[in-house]
């Protein structure tokens, strides 16, 4: 079984991409555009043009979610991102909580166009210090999972993906998965709390879908593809999760059954991809 990495990034002048594509581990990788952020520590993110060129060169192996500046972009920006080849959106470090009504016109346009939004939730890496010329938020407060609940209620057809399960605000994330059918999450960065994941995967949602939590979660790495050590770590993460589901889930929990594993590693992502690609008129 190949995996879909539903949350990853591409670095500037990326190297080793052919090895990832040819590894036989991944069926597809969803790249999150952070060109509007520029860099994270020593990592320089790919430009928007590099991302789209990578998508074009590998014929469906990559999908790209375009960076959305919630504080400065307009609904027309979303149209331009879609028309240029992005299938989803990726905001980050906005000045207000995600559910601030100033952002609602953007969410409405994304819903209309069928573009899912992957929101960072929970802890964030250290960015650039305060600079009045480049204002942005600091810390995780504006990106807590609980802020997604209001968006899900206001825009019930908007497909919302919460990155990283909102760690350490796990109770907020569980509330979202339990009550809102249009909220799902990925597990990238979740190794810090992997013990709690055992029981969460077996919880049944109360969102009108009769699904378990493992049907609302995506495998993801959050790796920076294009850097040798990140490329290799992504391959090891895939192996870790495969063994975790086999040797922990397979012995003791329903989510370890082969048909349930398949949902987590690729099936949930395929279902979402089929939905938004059809709505965008991109189905093949």
């Amino acid at each position: 079984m190949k995996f879909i990495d539903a949350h990853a990034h591409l670095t500037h002048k990326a190297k080793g991409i052919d090895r990832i594509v040819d590894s036989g581990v991944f069926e597809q990788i969803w790249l999150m555009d952070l060109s509007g952020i520029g860099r994270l520590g020593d990592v320089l993110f790919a430009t928007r043009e590099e991302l789209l060129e990578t998508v074009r060169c590998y014929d469906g192996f990559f999908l790209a979610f375009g960076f959305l500046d919630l504080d400065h972009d307009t609904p027309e920006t979303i149209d331009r991102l879609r028309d240029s080849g992005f299938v989803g959106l990726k905001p980050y470090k906005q000045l207000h909580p995600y559910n601030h009504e100033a952002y609602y016109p953007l969410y409405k346009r994304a819903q209309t166009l069928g573009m899912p939004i992957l929101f960072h939730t929970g802890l964030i890496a250290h960015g650039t210090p305060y600079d009045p010329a480049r204002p942005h938020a600091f810390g995780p407060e504006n990106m807590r999972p609980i802020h997604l609940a209001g968006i899900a209620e206001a825009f019930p057809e908007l497909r919302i993906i919460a990155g990283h399960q909102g760690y350490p605000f796990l109770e907020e994330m569980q509330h979202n998965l339990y009550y809102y059918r249009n909220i799902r999450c990925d597990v990238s960065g979740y190794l810090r709390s992997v013990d709690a994941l055992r029981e969460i995967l077996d919880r049944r949602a109360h969102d009108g879908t009769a699904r378990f939590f493992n049907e609302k979660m995506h495998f993801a790495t959050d790796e920076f593809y294009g850097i040798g050590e990140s490329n290799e770590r992504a391959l090891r993460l895939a192996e870790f999760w495969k063994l975790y589901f086999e040797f922990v889930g397979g012995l003791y929990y329903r989510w370890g059954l082969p048909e349930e594993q398949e949902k987590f590693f690729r099936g949930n992502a395929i279902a979402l991809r089929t939905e938004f690609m059809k709505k965008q008129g991109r189905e093949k």
Side-chain angles (χ1 to χ4, degrees):
M1 176 174 59
K2 293 185 179 181
F3 301 168
I4 293 179
D5 184 349
H7 181 168
H9 304 280
L10 187 71
T11 60
H12 180 54
K13 297 183 178 180
K15 297 179 181 179
I17 298 303
D18 286 342
R19 166 163 160 67
I20 294 297
V21 174
D22 297 335
S23 68
V25 173
F26 300 110
E27 175 179 336
Q28 191 172 64
I29 295 172
W30 297 1
L31 298 173
M32 303 298 137
D33 174 20
L34 285 181
S35 59
I37 300 299
R39 68 169 59 245
L40 188 63
D42 295 331
V43 176
L44 185 61
F45 291 111
T47 65
R48 188 161 284 174
E49 292 72 22
E50 285 177 310
L51 271 168
L52 292 174
E53 181 62 22
T54 298
V55 170
R56 288 190 291 267
C57 284
Y58 290 95
D59 189 29
F61 186 86
F62 294 102
L63 294 180
F65 284 48
F67 177 72
L68 181 65
D69 185 336
L70 291 175
D71 297 304
H72 299 101
D73 285 340
T74 66
E76 290 73 26
T77 303
I78 298 176
D79 286 75
R80 290 193 292 271
L81 289 170
R82 179 204 58 182
D83 293 344
S84 66
F86 290 102
V87 301
L89 303 167
K90 170 62 174 157
Y92 188 64
K93 284 196 172 183
Q94 75 290 343
L95 292 171
H96 306 289
Y98 282 136
N99 63 348
H100 196 287
E101 288 194 24
Y103 304 144
Y104 278 21
L106 297 170
Y107 301 148
K108 181 178 180 181
R109 190 57 183 161
Q111 176 179 254
T112 299
L113 295 179
M115 297 187 76
I117 304 179
L118 192 150
F119 293 89
H120 176 100
T121 56
L123 288 179
I124 59 173
H126 290 176
T128 57
Y130 173 71
D131 179 355
R134 293 176 59 86
H136 61 75
F138 297 92
E141 184 61 31
N142 288 346
M143 295 181 282
R144 291 182 65 151
I146 198 64
H147 300 315
L148 302 184
I151 302 170
E153 183 177 351
F155 302 97
E157 299 307 315
L158 177 64
R159 294 299 174 250
I160 296 169
I161 310 168
H164 320 298
Q165 274 248 75
Y167 180 87
F169 310 112
L170 299 179
E171 187 174 351
E172 293 180 9
M173 190 68 254
Q174 292 172 42
H175 166 271
N176 289 345
L177 294 175
Y178 186 72
Y179 282 110
Y180 297 98
R181 67 178 180 84
N182 55 331
I183 295 181
R184 58 183 66 209
C185 67
D186 70 58
V187 298
S188 62
Y190 197 67
L191 296 177
R192 288 165 294 197
S193 227
V194 72
D195 287 346
L197 190 62
R198 298 193 312 271
E199 307 297 338
I200 293 172
L201 283 162
D202 259 350
R203 287 198 66 184
R204 186 184 288 275
H206 187 62
D207 62 356
T209 64
R211 291 188 291 173
F212 288 90
F213 278 20
N214 76 297
E215 298 173 78
K216 304 187 77 175
M217 293 183 179
H218 295 175
F219 164 79
T221 69
D222 196 31
E223 286 300 336
F224 303 135
Y225 288 108
I227 299 174
E229 62 185 36
S230 290
N231 295 347
E232 296 305 314
R233 188 163 51 238
L235 297 174
R236 293 199 304 274
L237 279 170
E239 185 65 15
F240 165 81
W241 284 110
K242 177 183 177 181
L243 294 174
Y244 180 78
F245 268 67
E246 178 180 352
F247 289 108
V248 178
L251 290 175
Y252 303 111
Y253 301 94
R254 59 172 295 283
W255 48 265
L257 298 172
E259 63 271 24
E260 298 299 324
Q261 292 186 41
E262 193 273 345
K263 294 174 184 178
F264 173 81
F265 287 120
R266 61 187 292 276
N268 298 337
I270 288 174
L272 177 63
R273 182 186 69 196
T274 300
E275 179 184 346
F276 68 68
M277 294 292 266
K278 182 177 181 180
K279 189 162 186 178
Q280 294 176 32
R282 302 180 194 260
E283 62 272 69
K284 292 185 178 180

